[in-house]
Amino acid sequence: MRRYRANQKLVAVHRKISKMGMHSSDTAEITMENVRVPLDNLIGEEGRGFQQQMNQFQNERIYAAAGAIPAMDRAIQETIEYCSQRKAFGKSILDNQYVHYRLAELQTEIECLRAMLYQCVEQHVAGEDITPQATMLKLKSGRLIREVADSCLQFWGGMGYTDDVFISRMYRDTRLMSIGGGADEVMLNVICKFMGTDPGSRS
């Protein structure tokens, strides 16, 4: 454990946490004792941190989708290139109808998500409340990127299970998409409230 002390104020980093993915982003347990934040460093209004975080959720959810789409585009393209070169039973993997049909299905889903992203950004810039749309966007992004990563990795075969290729890293890193920034179940709960199907919204 590392301790940093200044004028009896203590910030302690207890341990770095090893994660399944996102290895370039450190996660650690930190405690603060008798630490005061100077007024000049206060972000927003004291005591309203959670409310302020909620106010920027739509930006975060839009950003999540905007980051997911290029990764999915890359996964599809690299899988096409690999499968066109890899041979099995006298022909390329890509020549199998299931493979190129499945990649076509995934690319169609990506394009639908891209259109939804553009619509959400346009409405958000216009000052509209896009809470339900941004929540749906986040939900769909997390689920689709996991589906793309899983399907593409399958077509890479054993090579896809190694750390040498992008698709392997994508497979483990993108699992966070359906957890971070609001889990899928939280997204569904928000959507249900706007639809009026949540039991609490009907009582």
Side-chain angles (χ1 to χ4, degrees), residues 38-59:
L39 190 59
D40 290 344
N41 295 346
L42 185 65
I43 300 174
E45 184 180 343
E46 185 177 356
R48 293 189 56 81
F50 180 71
Q51 288 80 0
Q52 290 165 200
Q53 174 69 11
M54 289 181 65
N55 288 337
Q56 66 83 44
F57 273 158
Q58 311 325 316
N59 292 336

Side-chain angles (χ1 to χ4, degrees), residues 5 13 22 32-33 36 65 68 89 92 96 113 121 137 158 165 171 173 184 192 200:
R5 185 181 297 275
V13 180
M22 295 292 180
M32 293 176 280
E33 299 175 16
R36 297 178 62 85
F89 304 108
S92 75
N96 290 280
L113 186 68
V121 170
L137 183 67
V165 294
Y171 180 83
D173 285 354
D184 282 2
C192 287

Side-chain angles (χ1 to χ4, degrees), residues 130-200:
I130 59 161
T131 300
Q133 293 90 342
T135 305
M136 293 174 187
L137 183 67
K138 164 68 168 60
L139 175 69
K140 183 63 177 177
S141 297
R143 291 185 169 183
L144 182 57
I145 198 168
R146 289 162 54 197
E147 185 179 359
V148 168
D150 185 66
S151 293
C152 288
L153 189 147
Q154 186 70 25
F155 298 149
W156 282 72
M159 182 58 69
Y161 198 67
T162 71
D163 288 335
D164 293 343
V165 294
F166 165 75
I167 197 67
S168 173
R169 186 170 70 252
M170 179 184 175
Y171 180 83
R172 65 176 188 264
D173 285 354
T174 55
R175 188 60 185 85
L176 183 62
M177 277 285 295
S178 288
I179 301 172
D184 282 2
E185 292 74 20
V186 175
M187 300 299 100
L188 288 167
N189 184 252
V190 172
I191 294 166
C192 287
K193 286 179 179 177
F194 276 93
M195 293 176 64
T197 57
D198 177 74

Side-chain angles (χ1 to χ4, degrees), residues 26-41:
D26 288 346
T27 302
E29 292 180 354
I30 298 175
T31 58
M32 293 176 280
E33 299 175 16
N34 300 318
V35 174
R36 297 178 62 85
V37 178
L39 190 59
D40 290 344
N41 295 346

